[in-house]
Amino acid sequence: MIPLRQNCGISEETADVGTAIAGELQLMDPDVRASRSLAERLLDPEFIEVGASGRRWTYEEMLAALPELSGGDSDGPCHETSSMTGVVLAPGVVHLTYESVLGGNRARRSSLWRRKHGETAWQMYYHQATPVPAGEGQNRS
């Protein structure tokens, strides 16, 4: 077992979750969504998403579509998030869960972020969005 390194009272696990959350929020930024080079840094080359529509997206499909998807235009609706939490599943793997609202549509979201052995960058490996039926209370399982 590798001991957790302490940094000003913040554990390595807490820092890893914070880094994954920061990456998740960056991917919602219209400027990042509009820039292939910025998005490439945040998405793992093996990335897969199952969107709220049920569509399965690959890395290349997502990079090509990201600027045109909802939330990609700085003048349009933007992602609003709530209850974002994360847990380290294993060294180099963080699982995030949260709810989002975009253009009045709510979704429960789950992302896996990973840092490959020997690398410093965290990248989103998997993402899934599940629509929340209209009228259902927020933040309920």
Side-chain angles (χ1 to χ4, degrees), residues 5-27:
R5 185 177 66 222
Q6 296 294 320
N7 182 9
C8 299
I10 299 174
S11 72
E12 185 174 346
E13 285 191 358
T14 300
D16 290 347
V17 169
T19 300
I21 288 172
E24 191 86 28
L25 295 173
Q26 286 175 32
L27 279 169

Side-chain angles (χ1 to χ4, degrees), residues 36-44 59 113 121-124:
R36 183 178 177 101
S37 65
L38 292 176
E40 280 178 334
R41 290 186 219 156
L42 294 167
L43 295 179
D44 189 288
Y59 173 78
W113 285 78
W122 284 86
Q123 295 178 307
M124 183 186 285

Side-chain angles (χ1 to χ4, degrees), residues 23 57 67 95 102:
W57 298 83
H95 180 222
L102 179 64

Side-chain angles (χ1 to χ4, degrees), residues 44-91:
D44 189 288
E46 297 177 49
F47 171 81
I48 296 292
E49 176 173 331
V50 178
S53 66
R55 179 177 174 176
R56 182 181 182 275
W57 298 83
T58 65
Y59 173 78
E60 285 298 330
E61 291 169 335
M62 183 56 70
L63 288 173
L66 204 52
E68 304 302 320
L69 293 174
S70 294
D73 182 359
S74 58
D75 294 330
C78 59
H79 292 270
E80 299 172 35
T81 64
S82 63
S83 304
M84 191 176 292
T85 61
V87 63
V88 174
L89 298 178

